[in-house]
Amino acid sequence: MQENLNKNTTSLADRIDKYSKKWHALSNERILKILESNQITGLSSKEAQKRLDEFGTNCLPKPKKPNLVKIFFKSFLDPLSIMMAIAGLVSLIIGLINQLEAPDIAGLVIICVIILTNSFIATIQEYKALNQKEAIKNNSVQAIVLRDSKQIKISIEEIVPGDIIYTKSGDYVPADCRIIENQMLKVDESALTGENEAVDKVDEILDENQLVLGDQKNIAFMSTLVIEGKMKGVVFNTGRESEIGKIATKISETKKKKTPLEKKVAKLTLIIGIISIILGTIIFTIAYLNNSKINESVYQLLLVAVSSAISIIPESLTIIVKICLMIATKKMATKNVMIKKPKSIETLGNINVICSDKTGTLTQNKMFVDSLYFNNKVFNSKDLDLTEDPLVRCMALCNDAIINKKGEKIGNATDLALVSLLVEQKINYLTMRRKYKRVDEVPFDSKRKVMSTVNLIDSENGQYVAYTKGAMDYLLPNCKHIVDGKDVRPINDDDIANIKDQLLRFAKKGMRTLGFAKKDLEKIDLEQDYQYEDKLVFMGLVGIIDPPREEVKHSVQEAHDSGVRVIMITGDHKVTAFEIASRLGIADETYNDVITGAEIETLSREDLKNKLNQTNVFARVNPEHKALIVDLLQDQNNIVAMTGDGVNDSPSLVKADVGIAMGITGTEVSKKVSDVILTDDNFKSIISGINSGRNVYEKIKYSISFLIAANISQVLTILLVLGIFGQLALNSVNILFHIFVVETIVAIPIGMQSERNGVMLNPPPTHKKESLFKGILVQIILTTFFNTFFAVLNFAIAEIYMNNFNVSLSAEQLKNFATGYAKAGAYICIMFSPIFYAILFNNKFMPILNSNKKVVVDKYKPNKWLIILITFSIIITALTMLPFEGLNVFFDFKTYNLPAGLAAIFVINTLLVPLFIFITNWSFTKILARQKK
Ligand code: ATP
């Protein structure tokens, strides 16, 4: 193949097109030539910009925007709207047969208005929720590329064909690329090929011409996940031209699953739905039997029965839950908690154990070297004068971090602490890295907790040195020699005792310790496997300070106050871990022990469970131990949140009830499997998340108690009046108007109350299966009782008053007026009481929700939306009661010529409902508070 690669004759795009499907069969040099790139310098920023303009951003095709009209029509499909529509249709048919009258028309209009309003609100909520999901997805990811000879971090969207990229374990591959340097790369390609087994990659040419994607082992595909190792690659396809881009449009969005709370609410609605049918039937039967007295058409009786049935179902709960979850998701985002799965909001509210990483989450991850130990002496980093010696070489060469000219820090915090020290000491680590080329390496992994590199120190004599740095627990037993001044001699027991002693001194100050060792190698054959990490020469030790985050101590206290236990799980040394844990209040008199990874390996499950009751600190653990710890805690009925950042943290993140990944330092894998991402990596944000989660749960409970009480009161009033007076207290228009005002207007803002901090002074709402009614049953019963009682009382007073004290009317007129006024009495109470007592459904006035726990009342913050919508409801309901004969006909009661005395009694009784609810709740709270003492 002798193609003409002349820039003038073929464009880059044409060439990329021409070689598509052949990248695996070309040599690195050839690919670089085709793509006009260079693996030492990368692209120039100017060329990269040009290519970005030509090829577009490296984004996958976005899923279609949700269509408002489609969502609107879909919202009619919920069972309640269908029931209402059927009710409307039946009414219309029967009405037409019986020749419609004004009230019937009003009934139909109101049914239509309610269905439309419900669908309208549902549409807006659904649309908002979908758009929010998009915003989360667009959260940009960064990648390291080589541009103008420098490694820089850019947003993956800016990657172009020809870019040289670096990818390491835990990253997503940012674009389709040919691997030019491979370090034990293992990639999970399941997103692309469906193959679950991770694929070992290579960097050599593959001969076969036609290979399926799964067999193209020298190519890393966009959006696949690096599980192990690292690579350098040259990008040939980006965005929609990549393999995943080509199929992305075909991948359908996974259907949104209901959260447990939504499921609980759906179940509750269904149960109430069944009850409603039974009650509707009872109402119809009694009304039909009493029809000689009621004197209504069968059609009107049927409508009353159907609308009563509908009115019991708290259909707006579904919307309220959605709104609550949406508000909480938004609120949490402002507090650095990104919710990936809505169900985790509720679970966050329920957790009672947080297992947290140390580094970065509890500490600042701003590491600096404080002290060094070598040649049996301790030095403070400020009093040092380092020159290039084997120890310094180890720090510089066995290290992947860079601080670039702009001062940008690339790499992990531990490596960066060493690089910073070298920069302060005016040692040019980059020149050293160029001079002593790295020929092999064994990357850091969280099991060994060390990393090693092999560098060519003397090219003339072929002298290689392996440098190892990392945890002393692993390093020291492998050291057979020690550097002593300029000499190297066998290590003895005194040396080991001194080193261990020094290690403990550093650790007791809360410092992270890191040892350095080397191994001289004669000429080596890189094709063969060597053991670099044995028979080492010990060179020295550093103590690195990573200060605890200042705010965390307070957050740990807050967690404890709210009944949440905090456990630290770290890869760091046991003494360092315990010191930091003690400073933060995680370890205390009760939890005064540390369990190490090594102990976990030897202890039985039962012993470990017992030990778990005395310790909040796990040190030197491997990621696999984390999953076991979660398992044991869950066995003890705890609801556990676990933080994680590494690739190997995935099992524990999945196992935990809430898996929390770190937004800044976390690997893409950990972010993918987690439920929640902390955008600031800060422990404090977890506490904010718990707060929001608990608030959601509480607000839903208030909404449920309000809705059920208001709805049942209405139906009970109808039933009681039917039973006692053989009359219909409310007609279908009244009932439907009640649904419209109480359910659609007043109930929703109850779920929109502002968050309160007091929820954090109670223990968590215990169990996963806890009933939604726990703690609110008393309120429901009280509210229902008062509301029903006064509505029936109003009815009774009007009947008795008119029949016994008003003698100026004819018997026929009397009957007519009495029932009309009585109905007005029932209506005013059924409509206005809930509008008023809606104000009481919050923690300030109803703290008995937590009756078995500490009663905490927060400062009352007026709920703006509730006040606006209550005012609106008062106005529209008052309008329905205006004393005009024509209007009265629509609503089937009489306010026209209503005696002032009766009107006053109606109003007083209506206001007594919220007053009594308030007084009884207040008394309960006092009694409970006294009992606690
Ligand atoms: P966590 O974040 O879970 O609290 P950690 O970050 O402290 O844990 P690791 O990063 O696994 O845990 O570090 C554990 C030990 O590994 C450290 O105490 C240190 O001795 C060693 N170590 C950490 N980073 C490096 C590194 N870049 N090179 C060599 N050794 C390292």
Side-chain angles (χ1 to χ4, degrees), residues 746-763:
V746 183
I748 290 175
I750 291 182
M752 290 161 74
Q753 297 176 30
S754 57
E755 289 189 354
R756 66 185 192 95
N757 291 325
V759 281
M760 294 305 279
L761 291 173
N762 284 310

Side-chain angles (χ1 to χ4, degrees), residues 100 255 264 498 603:
L100 280 181
K255 248 191 148 188
K264 269 188 192 175
N498 285 341
L603 286 173

